[in-house]
Amino acid sequence: MRAQAAVRRETLSAWPGWPARWEMWAGAKARWITYALGCELVAVVATGAALVTGFGGPVRPVWFAVLVALGVAQAEMSRRIERLRRWMSGQTHINVTSVWYLAGVVLLPPAWVALLAVVLYTHLWVRVWRQVRTRPAHRFVASTAWAMLSCFAASSVLAVSGLHGTPLQTTRGLFALCLAAAVFELVNIGLVSAGIYLYTSKRSAADLIGTWEDNAFELATLCLGGLAALALAEQPVLVVFVVAPLLLLHRYLLLKQQLQVAAVTDEKTGLLNTAGWHDSAVREHTRAHRRGSTGGSTGGGFAVLMIDLDHFKRINDTYGHLTGDDVLAAVAVAISGAVRQGDTVGRFGGEEFVVLLPAIGRVDVLGIAERVRVAVGELNVVISTGSGTVRVSGLSVSIGVARHPETGPTLDDVLRAADAALYRAKEAGRNRVAV
């Protein structure tokens, strides 16, 4: 099942004592907070009311206990993989625990399958997600509510239609299983995509509901969920044959993410490479046109910083290329720490870096560029080698600044303008910012 994506947050550097929990909420838009709290309230009220009224029929404690045990066991066996996947998580995250949710939708009343989601999500939080920076607590709570509502809706449809408890080996039972999967998936897509849009304002289908490949993997987990439900209802011992392909699917998802990350990552610095950065810049350029940026000073357009490490050849000639690589990595960290958390830093090869600054005004661009220049100038890189310790300091960068739409309507116009500004900075004596 999908979980909400990592989102852009402004750095609260002006508030050094700001508690982390408030920083997380400060990054969320008011409309997303309202939406998330509303979903959480509905999930709690609906579950509580169903428990009190017995909606959907009596609970089978054995099924609930078995599904909890299976979900916890599968999560424990794939804990390391899930943690790695969470670190690399993109806009959507396929949570294979939905296998047990769908089985619960068919075997449990609405309130109890909602509680199953709470138990399994809480276990994932305690054992995996709380250690991952991209999975803050407020998004965990919202995602749990969306899981509860998706499970509750699917189980409620079966209960209202009289399909709950239908033998799954019959044609009517197969229809009930397909109906439950369809309702579960549609409700989940609607809740999560609305949350992503309210948090990020992104509108593309890939941003909101994932790619076709993401959805194919989601379908695979639902198919395994159907097989798990059938096995538990007819021959419980056969459910062990669902666990092996589930773990294999989880490992394959990790491999897929690793390959995607490797394709757009610069191996020396860990930043985006040229292709990865350019892809992000193209998306931001499209969003800027959709916003109808005016070029005003309040942040309608985006900007690009072209950064060149001054006299890098001297470092390679003096200390060797391995030390030069360590210096590049240190400079990458300094640049990343000097820009905003939502900005995109890449390496264009050699000693040249580039930064994409979304939704920013002219004055703020110059402030960030100067912050980058100062951060690199303050670096004192200490490197241990086989022959001793090497200390590299006195570094500097020349920075060219260009902003859309002033420099032209296309992304290439902005890049050419930033590159021209960079050369002006170098010709003027280096270690400076030029526009």
Side-chain angles (χ1 to χ4, degrees), residues 81 242-254:
I81 295 175
V242 175
V243 176
L246 182 59
L247 294 174
L248 185 63
L249 175 64
H250 209 174
R251 183 171 291 277
Y252 182 77
L253 286 170
L254 173 62

Side-chain angles (χ1 to χ4, degrees), residues 388-399:
T389 300
V390 173
R391 188 181 300 272
V392 181
S393 59
L395 299 171
S396 68
V397 289
S398 302
I399 304 176

Side-chain angles (χ1 to χ4, degrees), residues 201-270:
S201 297
K202 294 180 178 179
R203 299 182 181 181
S204 71
D207 286 328
L208 297 179
I209 64 174
T211 64
W212 286 107
E213 191 175 12
D214 292 332
N215 286 280
F217 283 121
E218 181 78 4
L219 178 62
T221 63
L222 292 175
C223 289
L224 288 174
L227 291 175
L230 182 60
L232 288 170
E234 301 301 325
Q235 192 66 42
V237 70
L238 295 179
V239 77
V240 297
F241 292 101
V242 175
V243 176
L246 182 59
L247 294 174
L248 185 63
L249 175 64
H250 209 174
R251 183 171 291 277
Y252 182 77
L253 286 170
L254 173 62
L255 178 61
K256 167 178 171 285
Q257 286 178 283
Q258 288 175 325
L259 291 174
Q260 288 175 332
V261 170
V264 297
T265 302
D266 173 62
E267 61 179 10
K268 291 184 179 179
T269 62

Side-chain angles (χ1 to χ4, degrees), residues 86-105:
R86 262 294 163 199
W87 274 112
M88 296 184 293
S89 182
Q91 193 62 26
T92 54
H93 179 83
I94 306 302
N95 181 3
V96 298
T97 309
S98 57
V99 167
W100 313 116
Y101 297 156
L102 182 58
V105 164

Side-chain angles (χ1 to χ4, degrees), residues 12-23:
L12 297 173
S13 57
W15 300 90
W18 194 282
R21 61 182 181 276
W22 293 115
E23 180 183 347

Side-chain angles (χ1 to χ4, degrees), residues 69-116:
L70 288 170
V72 168
Q74 174 260 311
E76 287 294 326
M77 285 187 284
S78 58
R79 184 160 59 95
R80 179 177 172 275
I81 295 175
E82 177 65 16
R83 186 175 299 154
L84 289 172
R85 287 186 61 225
R86 262 294 163 199
W87 274 112
M88 296 184 293
S89 182
Q91 193 62 26
T92 54
H93 179 83
I94 306 302
N95 181 3
V96 298
T97 309
S98 57
V99 167
W100 313 116
Y101 297 156
L102 182 58
V105 164
V106 176
L107 299 172
L108 298 172
W112 285 89
V113 72
L115 291 176
L116 174 68

